Amino acid sequence: MLSGTLWPAHPRPLPGEALSSWFIRCAHANGMKAQTFAVRNFGHQRQLWNRDIDRFAPDWLLQTMSERTGTPLAQVKKMTALLFEGRLFQTKNLSGQLRWWLPLKMYHRIYRNFGIQYCPQCLAEDAIPYFRLGWRLAFYTFCPKHQIMLHDRCHQCQQPVAFHRVELGKANLLDAGDMNHCWNCNTLLSEAPKVPVDKWHKRPFTQWETLLKIVDRQFRDCGPFNKARLILWHQMCRLIVSENLAPDLQSHICSVVKQPVRELRKRKIAFEQRDLEERHYVLSLAAWISDAQAERKLRTAIKKRMLPSNQVHRDLKAAETAQLERLFLLPPSKRGLK
């Protein structure tokens, strides 16, 4: 039923859609550009595109989107990083690096990091192209539906994806088009190469794909959620990309699984700030050592001095350290592993 509070056009959220994607679709459905639509509803004082609204959406935005579309507030919140709070990370801090979350590194309205990913086949098959919230996660590097690698930039001009800028510099544009176009060169993102994912070891990739499918259905019917294994997976990713904390861990894993040792960017940046290809490579190695046989693999790496025992729990909170110790039967962090 329509009421005076609803926008003339109020499209429903699509499965797994990110809040930013939905807002753009609402604006275009009402015949406005995203910036004009935002000003009409929130005024000039409340800016949207100088923040990552998928990570931290202010209450006034969540409430307005709920009221003006007739969508339950709880559902709107699940279109943001709030969906992952208590699952992928403990609390959603307002600033700094967030575990597993791809940062945008915003400068005014320009993205300096490749924080928005996409599956070209998903976009090609969408009746209305849209961006999924799961694509903002660092471990979401391939599509479990199409078994191809995601992309984290335009395949033509190599610019970061920024669908809110599609209308930039087009004052006379009446039809804003859809989010399938690159904002910089107008190339169709759905035409990006479809690269098959190389599953070089069955067990870790099966667990990995299962996690992606759980994210896609927003954790519904996922059963007991193994947070400790996710914590360990992230810890191993951090150690592999580090030059100093565990410099021999990458080569050790590669020698065991017969994978080539690739040169990683020698910069002190968070794992989540690295590009998709490098993240996928690191994730695959970390997934192998963090799988169902993690206890044995960790102890072997430590015994061979490939993994410093005091680094397994590095920078973790006490509760997270306890989770690792319980799941993998590791001795307390103060004593280290022997």
Side-chain angles (χ1 to χ4, degrees):
M1 179 181 296
L2 293 177
S3 71
T5 63
L6 297 179
W7 286 320
H10 42 278
R12 310 300 294 176
L14 295 170
E17 188 168 17
L19 180 66
S20 58
S21 172
W22 185 39
F23 183 85
I24 296 294
R25 290 199 304 110
C26 286
H28 292 175
N30 282 278
M32 298 184 194
K33 295 183 179 181
Q35 181 61 23
T36 302
F37 191 66
V39 171
R40 291 280 183 89
N41 285 280
F42 308 117
H44 289 282
Q45 301 305 313
R46 289 177 168 177
Q47 293 294 318
L48 287 185
W49 308 117
N50 60 355
R51 70 182 82 204
D52 184 349
I53 63 173
D54 293 331
R55 172 176 173 172
F56 175 64
D59 290 339
W60 49 263
L61 173 58
L62 296 172
Q63 194 68 42
T64 300
M65 294 295 291
S66 173
E67 293 174 352
R68 304 287 270 169
T69 63
T71 306
L73 182 59
Q75 183 180 353
V76 177
K77 289 182 176 180
K78 288 182 179 179
M79 302 175 72
T80 74
L82 288 171
L83 174 66
F84 308 120
E85 192 170 59
R87 295 185 174 104
L88 305 186
F89 44 80
Q90 290 301 312
T91 56
K92 185 175 62 62
N93 51 299
L94 302 184
S95 60
Q97 184 58 56
L98 187 61
R99 182 187 297 165
W100 294 124
W101 189 259
L102 296 176
L104 299 176
K105 294 186 67 174
M106 307 178 75
Y107 179 74
H108 296 292
R109 298 177 188 173
I110 299 174
Y111 297 163
R112 293 184 169 180
N113 198 57
F114 302 96
I116 299 179
Q117 307 177 123
Y118 63 95
C119 169
Q121 192 62 40
C122 284
L123 293 180
E125 294 177 1
D126 288 340
I128 303 175
Y130 70 100
F131 282 76
R132 283 70 165 167
L133 181 66
W135 293 348
R136 296 297 312 276
L137 298 174
F139 61 73
Y140 208 125
T141 56
F142 67 93
C143 177
K145 178 181 179 181
H146 299 109
Q147 298 297 309
I148 60 175
M149 296 294 295
L150 266 58
H151 290 262
D152 63 354
R153 64 199 70 195
C154 172
H155 61 285
Q156 185 68 37
C157 68
Q158 304 300 304
Q159 286 293 314
V161 177
F163 46 78
H164 72 288
R165 305 188 73 204
V166 171
E167 309 142 348
L168 186 69
K170 302 173 183 177
N172 297 320
L173 181 69
L174 297 179
D175 183 1
D178 57 47
M179 288 179 280
N180 189 18
H181 292 81
C182 171
W183 66 272
N184 183 59
C185 67
N186 206 41
T187 294
L188 284 173
L189 301 179
S190 59
E191 294 180 351
K194 280 71 170 178
V195 181
V197 59
D198 177 19
K199 297 183 178 181
W200 50 263
H201 197 290
K202 183 177 179 180
R203 187 189 303 113
F205 275 92
T206 298
Q207 295 176 345
W208 189 350
E209 183 174 329
T210 298
L211 175 61
L212 298 181
K213 291 179 179 178
I214 289 174
V215 169
D216 283 346
R217 62 177 184 266
Q218 297 188 317
F219 300 92
R220 290 189 297 270
D221 304 320
C222 66
F225 191 68
N226 195 330
K227 299 177 185 177
R229 195 172 301 283
L230 271 177
I231 294 171
L232 179 63
W233 191 20
H234 190 265
Q235 284 292 91
M236 293 302 104
C237 287
R238 291 181 61 205
L239 295 178
I240 290 172
V241 301
S242 170
E243 294 182 59
N244 303 315
L245 300 181
D248 299 318
L249 182 58
Q250 177 190 357
S251 58
H252 165 69
I253 298 175
C254 288
S255 66
V256 176
V257 300
K258 303 297 188 291
Q259 288 294 303
V261 177
R262 301 185 185 181
E263 185 175 355
L264 305 178
R265 281 197 297 170
K266 298 184 182 301
R267 291 181 58 192
K268 291 184 178 181
I269 58 175
F271 163 73
E272 289 83 357
Q273 295 182 27
R274 295 170 183 266
D275 62 34
L276 188 145
E277 183 177 349
E278 184 169 296
R279 271 189 289 109
H280 182 78
Y281 167 73
V282 172
L283 281 160
S284 64
L285 299 183
W288 176 84
I289 201 171
S290 305
D291 68 9
Q293 300 179 6
E295 182 186 351
R296 175 183 60 81
K297 294 175 180 179
L298 289 172
R299 291 183 179 276
T300 299
I302 291 168
K303 185 177 181 179
K304 292 183 176 182
R305 299 184 182 278
M306 299 296 175
L307 173 61
S309 61
N310 63 336
Q311 300 298 339
V312 177
H313 311 84
R314 185 181 179 87
D315 300 328
L316 292 180
K317 297 179 181 179
E320 295 175 329
T321 296
Q323 283 182 294
L324 290 188
E325 291 167 354
R326 285 196 300 270
L327 179 64
F328 303 107
L329 304 178
L330 303 177
S333 57
K334 290 184 179 179
R335 298 205 312 264
L337 299 177
K338 298 181 180 179

